[in-house]
């Protein structure tokens, strides 16, 4: 949750988090399925995408699955 941040600002912060995880040499990271620790993330924004909390989570989840489908280890915005 990026309280007080617009959708683009939150997306930039989320991309930095993904990038930091990608660069981090985690202990036993090479034993992971892709040979490193990876993260995929989805982002939806209140009230831009929805004003309903439960729907916001569902939309962020759709963004997550878009990230996984685009090759994993990335962040994607929900764009409905």
């Amino acid at each position: 949750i990026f309280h007080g941040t617009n959708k683009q600002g939150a997306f930039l912060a989320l991309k930095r988090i993904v990038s930091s995880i990608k660069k981090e040499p985690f202990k036993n990271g090479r034993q992971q399925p892709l040979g490193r620790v990876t993260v995929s993330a989805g982002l939806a924004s209140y009230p831009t995408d929805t004003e309903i909390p439960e729907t916001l989570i569902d939309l962020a989840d759709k963004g997550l699955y878009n990230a996984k489908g685009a090759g994993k280890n990335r962040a994607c915005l929900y764009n409905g």
Side-chain angles (χ1 to χ4, degrees):
I1 295 176
F2 296 97
H3 181 70
T5 305
N6 67 22
K7 191 172 184 175
Q8 278 308 114
F11 186 57
L12 290 174
L14 189 56
K15 285 173 48 175
R16 285 193 301 269
I17 292 167
V18 171
S19 179
S20 293
I21 291 170
K22 185 177 181 179
K23 294 174 186 174
E24 183 66 30
F26 290 97
K27 183 179 179 180
N28 300 320
R30 294 207 180 273
Q31 296 172 355
Q32 298 300 313
L34 296 177
R36 64 188 189 279
V37 173
T38 64
V39 63
S40 297
L43 185 129
S45 180
Y46 172 90
T48 305
D49 295 316
T50 184
E51 293 185 8
I52 304 167
E54 294 81 9
T55 302
L56 185 64
I57 293 167
D58 290 338
L59 298 180
D61 197 46
K62 288 180 185 201
L64 166 65
Y65 282 97
N66 288 340
K68 289 182 176 195
K72 300 183 181 178
N73 213 30
R74 66 187 67 226
C76 284
L77 289 169
Y78 167 77
N79 289 313

